[in-house]
Amino acid sequence: MIHYPYENFYEMLFLITEEKSSKKVIFIEDKSYTYTQFLESVDRLARALELVCVGKGDRVALICPNSAEFVMSVFAVSKLGAVIVPINTMLKNEEYRYILDDCGAKILITASKFAKEVDGLCESVASIEHTIWIDKAPKENTCHLVLDEILTNHLHIHTPSLAKLDDTAVIFYTSGTTGHPKGAMISNRNLFSNFVAARERFDLSTNDRFIVYLPMFHSFTFAIMVVLPFFMRSSLVIVPSILPFSNIIKQTLLKRVTVFMGVPDIYNALIRAKLPWYFLWFNSIRIFVSGGSALSEDTLSKFKATFRRATMLEGYGLSECSPAVAVNPIEKQKTLSVGLPLYGYKVKIVNEEMMELPIGEAGELIVSGDCVMQGYLNNPEATAETIQNGWLRTGDIAKVDEEGYVYIVDRIKDLIISKGINIYPRQIEEQMMLLPSIKLAAVIGVNDPHSGEVPIAFIELEEGYEKTTASEIKGQLKEHLAAFKIPKTITVVESLPKTATGKVLKRVLKQGNY
């Protein structure tokens, strides 16, 4: 039985502040916050949310850049016993509308840089009562509020959080084969299990300093790079944007970062970059952690040769598991393996009948433990398909060696992972077939040296649209899909390969002979 020292994020913050009041917890550009200053900001924001009637169980959506306000929102919502819903900031208006409708968000917290894509959401999504802007509002009315204005002159006091260990803390939206995003409900217990496990696996201490440059809405970044540092009584360095990449290098050196987490695309960029000699000599990094997709053997070997004083640890996870499942231990890493299951978690490799397979044989990876989500919001059918007898079916094909190290072999689902972000072909296909020119579409993922994978499409055109170009189709898709979901290439074919029942044979397309 795992002991959890806190019921929720806010209780954690309050108790740690009593112990580490003057320690700096957040560094962002030329600003910093001590634990005391950060707690005061959280209390003020919680009071502001309370004044607009946010209470226990309410959903507060975040379409927000990497910022101190993002982190404050997470803890303020926890104080009120409400649920935070971090949303991908690269989506389009109609994609946001679906998610906000599905989760029943009461409040949307956002920034002016997203004004175009969030336009009209406050007025068109029935559940949203207010949009709170962390900088400036594009409209002035009772629906749109500016954070600084609602914080002015409001008293705030410490009151215990209403949130319990098994209450839902976060809803991560992750797309599925149906084409619509599904909300994975993650409890405080789920996330704290990840923190306890990460502390043990990474040998973390209060002296560690994390850097946060990947988007905070991502489950990996949210849990392991944003909230875990608080659990460890350590610190985090927030970089508002991944570009310019040179700034990440600069902040890593100047702020003495010790834990650097990223995805393969970042590590490939680090290897290609002409790093100054003083960075290689004077950086404080002791561990690099990679997730999202596998690093190539070439990348791993080059990385070890470049950063000789640090250890690269590959890991594996998914939003439905809060998110980390397995990571290589510091004392022994295996090339191409995602490591051993984290403390308190169990994994099995099973066949289609859910029967466990022998060591070394490939099958579906299933997971059990306190990391397993509560279920999908408003989707009991999908929940029942995914969680069976306490085991979560990942949809990934894997194998385990005699020492228990996990190796990801392939994916059962058609999931495409580009720069650590999940892309689901079905959603793209459905959107493409809404266009009058497209009769049938099939999207697959292909390897890409910069992104890991990118989507490409094969299409059959409707009669009368034979002159339609790929460029025209991409232009039409840009109105409805985030840029990273737009197929890199669109190939027109006379007829897609199909089964006798009309299902497209994607394996034929993936073989590259079509």
Side-chain angles (χ1 to χ4, degrees), residues 286-358:
R286 64 181 189 85
I287 56 172
F288 290 94
V289 182
S290 181
S293 57
L295 288 170
S296 68
E297 287 189 76
D298 181 59
T299 298
L300 278 171
S301 61
K302 288 179 179 177
F303 208 85
K304 288 176 181 177
T306 304
F307 296 93
R308 297 178 182 179
R309 291 182 290 112
T311 304
M312 167 62 79
L313 303 177
E314 282 199 87
Y316 165 82
L318 60 165
S319 296
E320 290 87 342
C321 284
S322 313
V325 172
V327 181
N328 272 279
I330 291 177
E331 60 274 12
K332 183 178 182 179
Q333 305 94 48
K334 290 192 178 184
T335 303
L336 301 182
S337 172
V338 294
L340 295 167
L342 290 168
Y343 174 72
Y345 304 162
K346 295 179 181 178
V347 301
K348 285 183 182 180
I349 307 300
V350 299
N351 60 19
E352 292 180 0
E353 287 74 42
M354 293 284 282
M355 298 297 291
E356 190 169 7
L357 295 170

Side-chain angles (χ1 to χ4, degrees), residues 45 205 234 370 401:
L45 178 52
S205 76
S234 53
D370 282 356
D401 70 15

Side-chain angles (χ1 to χ4, degrees), residues 165-435:
L165 192 61
D166 288 312
D167 287 346
T168 303
V170 187
I171 299 174
F172 293 122
Y173 270 84
T174 176
S175 297
T177 53
T178 59
H180 286 301
K182 298 194 294 290
M185 298 182 291
I186 307 296
S187 69
N188 288 297
R189 183 188 299 274
N190 291 153
L191 286 157
F192 280 124
S193 78
N194 245 223
F195 305 154
V196 169
R199 177 177 60 190
E200 178 266 340
R201 183 58 50 89
F202 301 140
D203 191 25
L204 298 173
S205 76
T206 58
N207 296 322
D208 278 314
R209 190 169 288 180
F210 297 65
I211 187 164
V212 188
Y213 59 89
L214 295 174
M216 289 180 171
F217 63 75
H218 195 285
S219 60
F220 174 68
T221 315
F222 182 98
I224 305 301
M225 299 167 77
V226 173
V227 188
L228 175 61
F230 286 89
F231 182 80
M232 290 309 308
R233 297 168 167 79
S234 53
S235 309
L236 60 151
V237 178
I238 298 174
V239 180
S241 174
I242 202 167
L243 295 174
F245 189 69
S246 59
N247 189 42
I248 297 173
I249 301 297
K250 178 182 177 182
Q251 295 302 317
T252 298
L253 185 63
L254 294 180
K255 302 296 197 310
R256 303 187 306 282
V257 168
T258 63
V259 181
F260 190 105
M261 300 190 180
V263 292
D265 187 55
I266 295 297
Y267 294 125
N268 288 328
L270 265 177
I271 291 171
R272 293 193 303 268
K274 292 182 178 179
L275 298 171
W277 66 268
Y278 54 83
F279 177 81
L280 295 174
W281 274 94
F282 297 112
N283 77 78
S284 301
I285 302 170
R286 64 181 189 85
I287 56 172
F288 290 94
V289 182
S290 181
S293 57
L295 288 170
S296 68
E297 287 189 76
D298 181 59
T299 298
L300 278 171
S301 61
K302 288 179 179 177
F303 208 85
K304 288 176 181 177
T306 304
F307 296 93
R308 297 178 182 179
R309 291 182 290 112
T311 304
M312 167 62 79
L313 303 177
E314 282 199 87
Y316 165 82
L318 60 165
S319 296
E320 290 87 342
C321 284
S322 313
V325 172
V327 181
N328 272 279
I330 291 177
E331 60 274 12
K332 183 178 182 179
Q333 305 94 48
K334 290 192 178 184
T335 303
L336 301 182
S337 172
V338 294
L340 295 167
L342 290 168
Y343 174 72
Y345 304 162
K346 295 179 181 178
V347 301
K348 285 183 182 180
I349 307 300
V350 299
N351 60 19
E352 292 180 0
E353 287 74 42
M354 293 284 282
M355 298 297 291
E356 190 169 7
L357 295 170
I359 289 172
E361 194 168 327
E364 183 175 8
L365 177 68
I366 62 174
V367 183
S368 74
D370 282 356
C371 61
V372 174
M373 67 171 180
Q374 296 173 309
Y376 291 118
L377 180 68
N378 305 326
N379 202 332
E381 296 83 5
T383 300
E385 288 176 11
T386 305
I387 304 175
Q388 299 180 10
N389 298 318
W391 290 86
L392 185 133
R393 303 188 65 167
T394 66
D396 289 314
I397 300 172
K399 60 183 180 181
V400 175
D401 70 15
E402 64 282 350
E403 292 185 278
Y405 282 73
V406 179
Y407 298 78
I408 304 299
V409 177
D410 205 339
R411 287 182 289 273
I412 295 172
K413 303 170 186 175
D414 288 329
L415 175 65
I416 298 168
I417 300 179
S418 180
K419 297 184 179 180
I421 296 176
N422 291 356
I423 300 174
Y424 291 83
R426 179 69 180 272
Q427 183 192 16
I428 304 172
E429 290 161 0
E430 289 179 352
Q431 191 62 57
M432 292 184 80
M433 286 187 283
L434 288 176
L435 302 179

